[in-house]
Amino acid sequence: MTKNTPAPVENAHSFSTESVLTQLEAQHTGLSTEESRRRLDRIGPNRLPEPPTDGLLKRFFKHFNDVLIYILLAAATITAVLEHWVDTGVIVGVVVINAIIGFIQEGKAEAALEGIRNMLSPHAQAKRDGQWNEIDAGALVPGDIVRLRSGDRVPADIRLIETNNLRIEESALTGESEPCDKNTLAVAPQAGVGDRTCMAFSGTLVAAGRGLGVVTATGSHTEIGHINRMMSEVQTVQTPLTRQMAEFSKTLSMVIVALAAMMLIIGFAFHDYPWRTCCSQPSVSPLPPFPRACLPS
């Protein structure tokens, strides 16, 4: 073995098994314990990285970052100063419910990412020092020889060397409901994931048969790792509709503030209402009593 750790093999499906073994500096007898430890230190464990997440309080209060929410909170403050407790409770309730709904929806998105990480197998049958051993799947490295049996979850991306009626269910990656038949023949480099019949992908399930292969990629370098990375890096894209709604909310906020200021000025300047009355509902004077002479006898 050279001192440089072999990198994960790209397009391993387009190379013969011997070519893949050569690129990974691996053999049919597997890696030695010392070599596997050295590669593990260099490449890292066979796990999907956890994306950075904000704390619960930050995730909750960031849903208050909106112009209309600011106006509602200001209105709630004013009604509280005026001791209009019913109005204050309704406004605060609307704001809090809106934040709770957004918080729950964001939690569902994080649960989807956690579900992807839970798809990885906890154990693997790997050949170390010429002997088969059950090891922690997180300790797998490119170049490990791994065997698969019916009911196993594939622990890493594997280039198949031997197959015996092997069928793997890959709906998590391809959406196909039927298990895919596997063999050892190389396919074209541009073949899609569903057409790479000589590969077994991390997180998929062995539906039938047996197989033997060499690990070509682990952790975030696997196909499921690519999906996990894309989901964690996804950004909210503003469509024309969402941009128009954002502009409308800003315009509506300015109109609300302008109307409130105009009502305050009119009531204070032209009707001699005190400021407390201008900020609340003006009192309605009762109708004067009819003169008794005007009443029918």
Side-chain angles (χ1 to χ4, degrees):
M1 298 290 179
T2 63
K3 293 183 179 180
N4 295 326
T5 301
V9 179
E10 296 184 2
N11 294 329
H13 56 278
S14 63
F15 297 103
S16 66
T17 57
E18 294 302 325
S19 176
V20 172
L21 288 171
T22 301
Q23 293 182 58
L24 292 170
E25 300 180 14
Q27 300 176 356
H28 290 273
T29 55
L31 300 176
S32 65
T33 301
E34 180 181 355
E35 175 64 16
S36 62
R37 186 180 298 112
R38 187 179 68 83
R39 295 191 183 194
L40 185 63
D41 293 338
R42 182 71 179 273
I43 298 176
N46 178 31
R47 298 189 183 92
L48 297 181
E50 295 187 7
T53 56
D54 298 326
L56 292 178
L57 289 178
K58 184 176 181 180
R59 286 169 47 202
F60 179 75
F61 283 108
K62 74 178 182 181
H63 295 286
F64 291 86
N65 186 22
D66 186 82
V67 177
L68 286 177
I69 297 298
Y70 295 155
I71 294 177
L72 288 174
L73 291 176
T77 302
I78 295 173
T79 55
V81 172
L82 298 174
E83 298 182 355
H84 294 174
W85 304 117
V86 175
D87 295 339
T88 303
V90 171
I91 296 173
V92 172
V94 169
V95 172
V96 172
I97 291 174
N98 175 74
I100 291 175
I101 293 175
F103 180 79
I104 292 174
Q105 290 177 337
E106 185 178 352
K108 290 181 178 179
E110 292 187 357
L113 288 176
E114 183 64 26
I116 291 179
R117 289 193 291 271
N118 290 336
M119 289 175 61
L120 300 185
S121 174
H123 304 289
Q125 288 282 334
K127 207 170 193 179
R128 295 280 176 84
D129 299 319
Q131 302 292 328
W132 287 107
N133 297 284
E134 183 171 326
I135 64 172
D136 182 359
L140 285 177
V141 294
D144 265 323
I145 301 298
V146 175
R147 64 183 178 186
L148 304 172
R149 293 176 293 185
S150 179
D152 289 346
R153 191 171 290 277
V154 181
D157 282 7
I158 297 172
R159 174 60 165 95
L160 296 171
I161 299 174
E162 298 177 8
T163 60
N164 183 9
N165 298 322
L166 182 63
R167 305 187 73 204
I168 298 181
E169 194 268 312
E170 299 177 338
S171 59
L173 296 178
T174 64
E176 295 291 339
S177 59
E178 293 294 328
C180 177
D181 293 324
K182 296 295 183 177
N183 53 56
T184 61
L185 301 178
V187 295
Q190 65 272 19
V193 174
D195 297 325
R196 299 175 188 178
T197 54
C198 60
M199 296 290 297
F201 297 105
S202 177
T204 58
L205 185 66
V206 180
R210 297 183 179 183
L212 182 74
V214 58
V215 174
T216 59
T218 59
S220 59
H221 298 287
T222 61
E223 289 297 327
I224 199 170
H226 295 162
I227 295 176
N228 180 75
R229 185 167 61 252
M230 287 189 295
M231 291 185 65
S232 62
E233 294 176 352
V234 67
Q235 297 180 353
T236 302
V237 178
Q238 283 200 338
T239 63
L241 176 60
T242 56
R243 286 196 294 267
Q244 291 176 6
M245 291 178 64
E247 291 297 328
F248 173 76
S249 61
K250 291 179 181 179
T251 304
L252 180 61
S253 302
M254 296 174 61
V255 171
I256 292 172
V257 173
L259 288 176
M262 184 176 65
M263 292 178 63
L264 181 65
I265 293 172
I266 292 174
F268 185 76
F270 297 101
H271 296 281
D272 295 327
Y273 288 149
W275 72 271
R276 185 181 181 90
T277 304
C278 290
C279 295
S280 59
Q281 294 180 351
S283 58
V284 180
S285 302
L287 294 174
F290 287 99
R292 188 174 295 274
C294 296
L295 295 175
S297 56

